Amino acid sequence: MKLNSRHIILQKIAAHADKTVVNTTFENEDERIYKPIEGSLCNCFKTELESIGGHVFMFQNEIELFAGLSSFLAEKGFSSVYSSLPDIPNRLPNIVLNQEAYEEMDAAITECEFLVVRTGSILISSASCGGRALNVFPPVHIVVAKKSQLVSFVTDALHALYEKYEGKLPSLVSFISGPSRTADIEKTLVMGAHGPRELYVFIDENL
């Protein structure tokens, strides 16, 4: 039987797939590519994220963090704050939370997997309470994190995630670096085109 070009290409792809080995070592070239981290991990992360339009607030303990978050939400005057985190209603008793009308949210509160210090990035996955949509759907994204989630480089975050899920990575793994922005349309910068236009990270420095 004479094979056409389509069948030949598919056969080559199948043959190559059988020999493919997935690389899970995540060889670290970051220390060679990026400049060294100076000062504390928290301060470096804050500097990097705020340089690309994000905002970082640091607190000495969990009580102070949620008191600060409550004041922040009240000051912003959001009419609809959504979060699927089970302990949020108890942590923010003075804030009216919307846990039903998903499409009406002004802001969302989520957790994250890790914070990448050198790039000011947030590693999120579909396995967290926020799932897939809460990281892109709300106009304002608020992340609650811990100091222990800070890692130096992207490869460190991938190593940690791989170990956390024992090699079975979530279906979605993504990095957020600042608020959503694009200049694709007539080279005009537009905030919030493909996700939140504002990004805030609240970090507990004690955990």
Side-chain angles (χ1 to χ4, degrees):
M1 181 180 69
K2 185 177 180 180
L3 298 177
N4 60 32
S5 58
R6 178 175 179 275
H7 287 112
I8 293 173
I9 292 172
L10 290 175
Q11 283 185 346
K12 289 182 178 180
I13 292 174
H16 178 73
D18 292 338
K19 300 176 183 178
T20 299
V21 177
V22 177
N23 177 19
T24 57
T25 59
F26 309 117
E27 295 180 7
N28 195 339
E29 293 288 332
D30 291 343
E31 293 184 19
R32 182 176 62 82
I33 297 172
Y34 295 104
K35 62 183 179 181
I37 294 172
E38 299 178 354
S40 71
L41 293 181
C42 279
N43 287 333
C44 185
F45 175 78
K46 177 179 174 67
T47 298
E48 294 295 339
L49 181 54
E50 292 187 345
S51 71
I52 52 177
H55 304 273
V56 179
F57 302 100
M58 296 181 288
F59 300 88
Q60 293 300 310
N61 54 60
E62 194 174 54
I63 295 175
E64 289 185 8
L65 185 152
F66 282 101
L69 179 55
S70 180
S71 297
F72 169 80
L73 295 172
E75 181 181 342
K76 284 289 187 178
F78 297 123
S79 60
S80 179
V81 178
Y82 185 96
S83 180
S84 58
L85 299 177
D87 60 338
I88 283 294
N90 294 328
R91 299 290 188 182
L92 300 171
N94 298 323
I95 301 298
V96 178
L97 295 171
N98 166 19
Q99 294 186 298
E100 295 181 1
Y102 182 87
E103 68 281 358
E104 297 176 4
M105 73 177 79
D106 295 321
I109 304 170
T110 76
E111 295 176 324
C112 67
E113 297 288 0
F114 297 99
L115 304 174
V116 183
V117 171
R118 175 40 69 208
T119 59
S121 302
I122 303 164
L123 176 59
I124 57 97
S125 82
S126 55
S128 66
C129 288
R132 294 169 178 262
L134 286 188
N135 302 295
V136 295
F137 187 76
V140 177
H141 184 189
I142 301 165
V143 178
V144 176
K146 305 171 185 175
K147 181 180 178 181
S148 59
Q149 291 176 291
L150 289 162
V151 296
S152 297
F153 301 107
V154 169
T155 46
D156 297 322
L158 294 174
H159 274 297
L161 191 72
Y162 191 77
E163 292 178 1
K164 178 179 178 179
Y165 292 101
E166 300 179 343
K168 299 178 181 179
L169 294 176
S171 59
L172 169 74
V173 174
S174 182
F175 289 92
I176 300 172
S177 297
S180 171
R181 65 184 67 202
T182 183
D184 292 342
I185 304 173
E186 298 182 354
K187 297 183 180 180
T188 300
L189 180 63
V190 177
M191 302 298 292
H194 308 297
R197 64 175 181 269
E198 297 179 33
L199 176 63
Y200 300 88
V201 181
F202 287 68
I203 302 176
D204 182 346
E205 293 188 271
N206 189 49
L207 294 176

